[in-house]
Amino acid sequence: MKGTHLGEFQEIVMLCILILNENAYGVTIQEEIDKQMKRAISRGALHTALTRLEEKGFIRSHYGEPTSERGGRRKRFYEVSTKGLETLQEAKELRQGMWQLIPKLN
Amino acid sequence: MKHKDIPNFAYKLFQWFCKEPLFEELEGDLEESFTRNVEKVGRKKARRIYTKEVIKMLRPSVLRRPSSGPGYQIALLSSYITISVRNLRRQKLFSFINMFSLSVAMSAGLLVIGMISDLMKFDEFHEKKDEIYRVISTPIVQGNERKTKASSPRYLGEELIRQIPGVQLTNLGRRMQGLATANDKSLEVSGIYADEHFFDFLSFELISGSANSLANPYNILLSESFAQKTFEGQNPIGETITIENLGSFQIAGIVADPPQFSHIQFEAIVSINSTDQLSTQGFIEATHDEWETLYRYYNYIYLPGNEAKERVKNWLAQSAPNFFKNSEKFTATFELQPIHKIVPGPNISDSIGPKMIYLPIIILSVIAAAILLSAIFNYTNLSMARSLRRAREVGVRKLSGASRSSIVGQFTIEAIVLSLLSLFIGVIIFAYLREGFISLLPRAEEMVSLELSAQLILLFVAFAIVTGLIAGLSPSLFFARLSSLNALRSGKVLKALSGINLRKGLIVCQFTLSIIFVMAVVITQKQYTYSVNKDLGFDRENILNLSMQGNDPEVLRAELMKLPEVSEVSFSSYVTGTGTWNSLQLVDKRNEDSIWVHQMFADERYLQNLNMKLVAGRDFYDGENRANETSMIVNESFVTNFGLGTPSEALGTVFLIAGNSVEIVGIAKDFIYANLEEPINSFVIRGGKNYQYANLKVSSVDAIALLDKVEAAWESVDSKHRMEASFMDQEIAEYYQFLQHFMKVFGFVGFLAISISCLGLFGMTIYATQTRMKEIGIRKTFGASEQTLVYLLSRGFMKMVGLAILIGTPICYVIFDRFILAQNVYRTQITFVEVGGSILFLMTLCIATIITQTWGAARTNPAKVLRDE
């Protein structure tokens, strides 16, 4: 199931998109990851992850209006698709299930 | 629009490598981060971060697919190769045929390339090869120019260096050979004479001893391998070696064996100053060092710089001829020959070592090129014939935007891939043919090894690529020009094969050559069988001929007769039937005329031993003619040629041989004493002396065991010389080996010609049947039988083959009947069997070739072809 596999980094990116809600685009996602995970990532690495996620159909994107703060270039906003959300849920439940199976903690 | 502080180079770089649609988003993000960073960490650091980010953008998902440049080319090339391999695999028969014909033709090309590349290596090992020259001379005798010689007068070089400073010289001489005895061993040695400057600028390696020893007479240097053979690991320096007919020499050093690719070859080097004393002792001619004697010595000179070269040239042209005593009678012109232009080189005589002239190389290259072009023509022909199938593919490619150049690329790469694959098979064939090829050329085994080196393989690959380029040129241009509309229109007959008559003509030519070669092989084989089995008039089975090498016949006979396997030993001056004979001048006593006849010497047991028949008179008595020559035996032709009447009447006639009166005592039945090419002439058998061979009549048992016993007997008589013996029937068969060589050449070229022409025919058949599919369909619906259709489709081709046979058969017949076989007095006849057999063979091949295609076409369901439109 290579096509629908969710990598750890990809999961984080999706979570950040969800946190940012309406304002998820390159720079903000990058900052959010930095803020949440204390992990500086390059824009290039983020781009790769976003491309993969979009290919798998977990996220969607659309362009915003041109703004002067970035040399008149449009922002590309990302949002998590239903399919993406379901996959995230599944991943979370899978983990929780596994957590509950740990005897020491119960 | 970019922020003014953003580093220009990084921005430009990013713009260059980033995919167009991603640039807006990604650069926007980077720029936004940059403006924030300027506030947070300052301008300088922000700039650094920006650059770092750009570099980290170098990933496949961001990188622009190059539309030109090396990356693009590689991507395109790999796609071409993939598609080529797929195409080759899909059309297995087509690929196999092309590969087969190309690889066979290539093997011929490879042999020639290998040979030329080996010859080019000659004398490349001399470090100063560009500055070493040899003086060559053209004698002019009484105003007539003679053939140029590689040699020059002995003292020319010395005079030259006396006049012109800065020039170095080494003086060499040839014909140093004989039986060398040292360390109780005798071996044939051949080498050169040289002076002490031999190692100065020629890159031969002296292993031990000093070069200066060559300044003194009677010193000798041995080559490493010869020293090893003679002394077997002992130190030979200081020992004495005796060379038959030259004298004793002191071994002063060891030289590394000359490289194979050297035109100077030697097993030993004798100091050149020995020649003066050798000539006073009469071992070499007294005139050896005169200027007029310019066939014995060589002057190799080292000429650094152009200025010296000019001066030497002028001296050779103007001053050198003045040394001749009488220039009206004998003079010569001198030239400089660069050392690397000796092999391969112009045809000059008296060379010091092996030589290879340009002519055979050119002839071979032309043959190879012709064969290769034929194969390339077939590739083109077949590719075009398949055009119907490929046209649709090209049409689709063009519609989806392929440029002409990419179509050309595709088809060219396809041809190159095929040609590289053929190269692989070609190299295997090459390795298989290598030895036969070398044995075809006289003395080639000394000069070319045809070993596969990395350099040679590179050459081969280059050759294959060029072949592919040429083969792919015509189909690729044809497909590139094809309009996509035409290509896609179904059922449209492509006018691929323009100049159809030319192609037909070429096929007729190819088949004409094929029939000639098939017949040549058959006829040569017949002549060989005939030659080897022809009754020569004497028994050749179970006769072992032993070279006497100067030993006493009686001693040898006594020793050999001890062996139980040897029933008789006779002696003769040569081995009959192997192409040699001797001449004799007789004086007819009746009218004092002197006449040339052929002769041999044989003892009183010879005729009986070889089962030669006497028609009149008697054989020699034991011991007859030993003291005084009084009697001879002549052959029947002698009697007829001299008009001596019947054989019995001729008995008692007396002739003068070297002043002695010699009487005819016996008349032998005519036998073939020379070879099948020569007529039987007047022949005289003399007795008493000059025996060179012992003829052993042996019982037919194990040949190897027998040879061992004979060798043991030989060694008890002569321990110095190695035994040389061979069976007479084998020796005679060996004499006709050249016919087998011919057969090999004819066979190989014929095989090439046949396979290539059959493939050409095959291509034409495919084309013709494919374009006529609709006609066949209609005919079939109207009730034509399959046989009729096959006949209809094959008729035209069989006409072409028939025409070729009509042209080729008489040509071949005339060539062999009038020219080649006509050289033999005793020859086989060309009969209907050979001619008919060859024709039948070729026709069968052609019919099989044509039927494979036409039969399939005739059997196709007409509904399939007619449904097309």
Side-chain angles (χ1 to χ4, degrees), chain B residues 487-539:
Chain B
L488 286 174
R489 204 143 55 167
S490 81
K492 166 92 180 164
V493 175
L494 295 167
K495 290 228 165 18
L497 295 182
S498 55
I500 194 99
N501 282 329
L502 178 73
R503 279 153 207 270
K504 275 186 180 166
L506 277 167
I507 284 189
V508 172
C509 285
Q510 287 179 337
F511 274 100
T512 307
L513 284 177
S514 301
I515 187 75
I516 290 178
F517 281 111
V518 173
M519 276 177 71
V521 172
V522 175
I523 296 170
T524 318
Q525 166 67 36
K526 199 180 175 203
Q527 176 67 20
Y528 175 73
T529 321
Y530 174 86
S531 305
V532 173
N533 297 319
K534 163 87 181 155
D535 180 16
L536 299 176
F538 53 86
D539 283 358

Side-chain angles (χ1 to χ4, degrees), chain B residues 149-177:
Chain B
K149 293 176 187 299
S151 44
S152 47
R154 164 95 194 256
Y155 291 116
L156 178 135
E158 277 184 29
E159 295 291 347
L160 176 97
I161 52 171
R162 201 172 297 158
Q163 306 295 328
I164 300 162
V167 174
Q168 292 179 42
L169 162 80
T170 183
N171 206 212
L172 307 183
R174 65 172 174 148
R175 290 189 189 154
M176 200 291 290
Q177 57 197 23

Side-chain angles (χ1 to χ4, degrees), chain A:
Chain A
M1 291 285 280
K2 200 192 163 203
T4 53
H5 173 77
L6 193 61
E8 182 248 358
F9 183 59
Q10 290 172 0
E11 193 178 344
I12 292 164
V13 171
M14 276 167 77
L15 290 170
C16 289
I17 294 172
L18 288 169
I19 295 168
L20 291 164
N21 201 11
E22 301 265 291
N23 192 30
Y25 65 97
V27 182
T28 50
I29 302 172
Q30 213 179 341
E31 281 172 354
E32 195 61 34
I33 292 171
D34 196 8
K35 199 168 105 194
Q36 301 291 339
M37 308 294 294
K38 309 279 176 278
R39 189 164 139 187
I41 52 142
S42 73
R43 181 65 185 83
L46 178 63
H47 170 77
T48 307
L50 289 170
T51 315
R52 291 274 173 279
L53 287 170
E54 199 159 17
E55 277 169 9
K56 290 175 193 169
F58 294 159
I59 57 173
R60 282 192 298 266
S61 68
H62 64 271
Y63 283 99
E65 290 302 309
T67 52
S68 61
E69 78 170 316
R70 32 192 280 148
R73 307 208 197 284
R74 292 175 299 173
K75 290 173 184 169
R76 189 175 177 185
F77 291 102
Y78 293 89
E79 57 185 314
V80 175
S81 67
T82 333
K83 188 179 170 195
L85 208 58
E86 280 167 10
T87 315
L88 269 178
Q89 267 336 326
E90 262 172 45
K92 188 183 145 201
E93 277 157 23
L94 209 69
R95 280 176 204 204
Q96 259 166 5
M98 283 167 81
W99 273 110
Q100 278 159 12
L101 290 176
I102 299 171
K104 275 186 200 159
L105 298 177
N106 290 332

Side-chain angles (χ1 to χ4, degrees), chain B residues 728-743:
Chain B
M728 197 165 188
D729 48 351
Q730 284 172 11
E731 213 168 328
I732 291 174
E734 237 162 67
Y735 175 73
Y736 294 100
Q737 275 284 308
F738 71 95
L739 284 173
Q740 287 214 309
H741 285 319
F742 271 138
M743 235 161 57

Side-chain angles (χ1 to χ4, degrees), chain B residues 702-720:
Chain B
D702 180 11
I704 296 165
L706 174 72
L707 280 175
D708 282 346
K709 284 188 177 173
V710 174
E711 185 152 20
W714 169 264
E715 271 173 9
S716 67
V717 178
D718 183 348
S719 56
K720 264 170 79 179

Side-chain angles (χ1 to χ4, degrees), chain B residues 738-799:
Chain B
F738 71 95
L739 284 173
Q740 287 214 309
H741 285 319
F742 271 138
M743 235 161 57
K744 267 197 217 163
V745 178
F746 288 149
F748 180 57
V749 181
F751 171 69
L752 292 181
I754 292 170
S755 40
I756 291 171
S757 38
C758 275
L759 294 175
L761 182 67
F762 187 71
M764 291 288 281
T765 322
I766 293 176
Y767 173 71
T769 44
Q770 283 192 354
T771 46
R772 289 173 76 179
M773 279 317 273
K774 205 151 288 174
E775 179 197 333
I776 297 166
I778 294 168
R779 280 179 188 274
K780 229 181 163 182
T781 6
F782 279 91
S785 70
E786 281 168 11
Q787 284 85 345
T788 332
L789 285 173
V790 168
Y791 169 71
L792 183 79
L793 289 169
S794 314
R795 197 175 46 185
F797 295 112
M798 290 322 292
K799 265 189 201 159

